[in-house]
Amino acid sequence: MNARAIQQIDAELIAAHERGDGPTLAGLYEAAAGLRDEQGDVDAACFFLTQAYVFALEAGLDRSGALRDRLIANGREEKLTARIVGVRTAFLPAE
Amino acid sequence: MNHFQQFALDQVTQPVEQARGLPNEHYTDPALHEAEKQHVFFDNWMALCFGKDVPELGDAMPFEALGQPLFVLRGRDGVIRVFQNVCRHRGMILVDRKKRLSGVVRCPYHSWCYDHSGALHTTPHVGGPGYNTHDAIDRSSLGLIEIRSHVWQDIVFVNMSGNAPAFADYAASLIERWGEFEQPIWFGGEDSAFELDAATNWKLAVENYCESYHLPWVHPGLNSYSRLEDHYNIIEPGGYSGQGTLVYRSIISETGEKFDDFDGLGDKWVTGAEYAALYPNVLLGVHRDQKFAIILVPTGMEQTLERVAIYYASPKMQDASMAGMRRRNAELWKGVFEEDIFVVEGMQKGRHAMKFDGGRFSPVMDGPTHAFHHWVASQFKRAP
């Protein structure tokens, strides 16, 4: 494991969290996932991929699609379907 | 409802010549205030905010609607939607301040994410670290609770219960009355919006707005060109009421500039203007060259925030070159509305007088106000 790289990412993550800098957080978490992937630690990698995915979604980054695909490939996320996109809720009577 | 309350409401719904006003308790009793939330506001179409509050795609803004946490979102598809402002996971507030969303709505607690239609987009770590799905979590049934809404004249209305008629039917009569004004409107910008806070129950602001009877006494400045006899009552039982004037005069600057007029208006509007309360809580004014709306936000039983926004007939009126005219116009209206504050606050204090019986109405001058009392009483009487 590249301990120095992980320490560096941790420090940058804390700073980015403090700034509320979503795009940077997405990138850093994706980098952290990559380091875990290199170790063959799929669970840890998917944890960080999830973090990256959420911040990419919040920031509206195109990258979110690729992150989601990686999570799906690992059996950690659902495909986006019309079933989800088309959801409607309780207070809307038919008119 | 007990027999005494029923009797009091029956007196309100008598013809104006015999009727009494709503009893004091409707202005001072917390229990009736709670009942009013449901019967008067949630079962009808209440005005929540303005479209101009969320002008750009992705703009989100939280609102408290009589204690109900909501947020309004102008989605990336351009549609304004109103949602209950809580995550379907643990009930956390989602939007805590006005913000522009680049992407999804992310709960700040466990980061469940919703798209702009309210659909639940992802549920991070819900099945354990790095596992974002679980058989027990059906995302299709866990979208944000959307509140039924409708935007008319840049006012966002909500029907919390979901049981009211479609808005187009609910407000059909007023929409038809002002059909000539069904055309694009242009918000004047920051200099054309202001707020007034009054220590009064919201109903008193409606009651005062509806009638012209008070004009010569409370607005003597207006009386110099807009006499009492130049006004007429507007009464649409069950829907709205207010007053009209026959002598509206457009503002003209020192250099002869005027605001653009709306297109194709009939002769009535050359010197006419109308002011109506669309029940329960929005006060509207239409003129040949401008419209305004006042959303009454009941921030307490005896406290009301009046949010005022002025709109014009063409985008040119939004130009910086018109700023002076817009400011002057807004200051004029603000001055008029401020003159009403002592009245609505005074009536609120008066509603604590234990022997006040709801008062009587002038059969000639108070018809619009009585119509509003009648409507409120009817909302209680029809309640189960």
Side-chain angles (χ1 to χ4, degrees), chain A residues 5 12 18 23 29 37 42 45 50 53 56 66-67 69 71 77 85:
Chain A
E12 292 181 27
E18 286 176 355
Y29 277 120
D37 256 342
V42 175
T50 298
Y53 175 52
L67 293 166
D69 287 344
L71 288 163
E77 183 54 86
V85 173

Side-chain angles (χ1 to χ4, degrees), chain B residues 189-365:
Chain B
E190 281 185 22
D191 55 33
S192 300
F194 55 90
E195 296 183 350
L196 301 172
D197 203 11
T200 188
N201 182 274
W202 68 277
K203 293 190 291 297
L204 292 167
V206 177
E207 295 169 25
N208 175 66
Y209 187 80
C210 281
E211 48 92 345
S212 56
Y213 191 5
H214 69 287
L215 298 185
W217 314 108
V218 178
H219 307 292
L222 289 181
N223 198 48
S224 64
Y225 66 90
S226 179
R227 299 163 304 163
L228 190 53
E229 55 265 42
D230 294 325
H231 292 78
Y232 56 91
N233 292 340
I234 299 169
I235 302 174
E236 179 66 23
Y240 63 90
S241 58
Q243 48 160 316
T245 177
L246 304 171
V247 293
Y248 171 69
R249 291 195 308 213
S250 303
I251 289 183
I252 303 175
S253 75
E254 290 168 357
T255 56
E257 274 186 309
K258 295 168 64 179
F259 293 122
D260 286 349
D261 288 338
F262 288 100
D263 290 333
L265 297 180
D267 291 344
K268 170 182 176 178
W269 301 105
V270 173
T271 58
E274 292 192 340
Y275 308 91
L278 178 60
Y279 310 152
N281 70 319
V282 63
L283 314 178
L284 302 160
V286 295
H287 318 75
R288 58 187 287 174
D289 58 351
Q290 59 177 304
K291 297 181 183 183
F292 65 73
I294 308 172
I295 295 178
L296 301 174
V297 182
T299 51
M301 181 153 205
E302 302 194 44
Q303 199 72 35
T304 301
L305 180 67
E306 301 184 1
R307 298 192 65 216
V308 184
I310 304 171
Y311 295 82
Y312 294 98
S314 81
K316 206 173 80 183
M317 301 302 97
Q318 296 177 313
D319 288 353
S321 63
M322 299 299 292
M325 286 272 286
R326 290 195 308 268
R327 273 197 294 274
R328 183 177 156 205
N329 189 45
E331 283 166 11
L332 188 153
W333 285 119
K334 188 175 184 185
V336 172
F337 300 151
E338 283 176 337
E339 288 175 343
D340 287 314
I341 296 291
F342 90 95
V343 174
V344 295
E345 291 188 337
M347 285 194 289
Q348 181 62 34
K349 288 177 182 168
R351 284 300 191 158
H352 289 274
M354 60 190 295
K355 294 187 179 179
F356 181 67
D357 60 1
R360 295 295 301 271
F361 299 100
S362 158
V364 176
M365 303 303 298

Side-chain angles (χ1 to χ4, degrees), chain B residues 80-201:
Chain B
I80 291 178
R81 296 180 178 87
V82 180
F83 297 106
Q84 193 167 271
N85 191 9
V86 291
C87 182
R88 295 296 302 275
H89 176 213
R90 304 306 313 140
M92 175 67 181
I93 291 292
L94 292 166
V95 178
D96 62 351
R97 60 190 161 77
K98 185 173 181 176
K99 58 175 76 169
R100 185 157 298 162
L101 303 176
S102 303
V104 296
V105 180
R106 180 178 72 85
C107 177
Y109 195 6
H110 303 93
S111 289
W112 285 28
C113 295
Y114 303 87
D115 72 21
H116 288 201
S117 74
L120 181 56
H121 197 90
T122 192
T123 49
H125 313 308
V126 76
Y131 289 85
N132 303 322
T133 61
H134 190 283
D135 288 345
I137 302 299
D138 175 13
R139 292 182 187 175
S140 70
S141 66
L142 291 170
L144 294 179
I145 302 296
E146 184 172 353
I147 304 299
R148 193 177 180 215
S149 64
H150 186 92
V151 182
W152 178 61
Q153 296 292 302
D154 203 45
I155 302 164
V156 181
F157 292 86
V158 292
N159 169 225
M160 297 290 291
S161 71
N163 295 325
F167 181 84
D169 296 326
Y170 182 85
S173 179
L174 186 59
I175 292 170
E176 182 183 351
R177 181 185 190 95
W178 289 345
E180 291 172 89
F181 288 94
E182 286 292 319
Q183 46 186 300
I185 54 174
W186 308 89
F187 175 51
E190 281 185 22
D191 55 33
S192 300
F194 55 90
E195 296 183 350
L196 301 172
D197 203 11
T200 188
N201 182 274

Side-chain angles (χ1 to χ4, degrees), chain B residues 17-28:
Chain B
E17 293 81 2
Q18 288 88 43
R20 293 193 186 282
L22 288 161
N24 285 350
E25 291 72 23
H26 286 256
Y27 302 80
T28 59

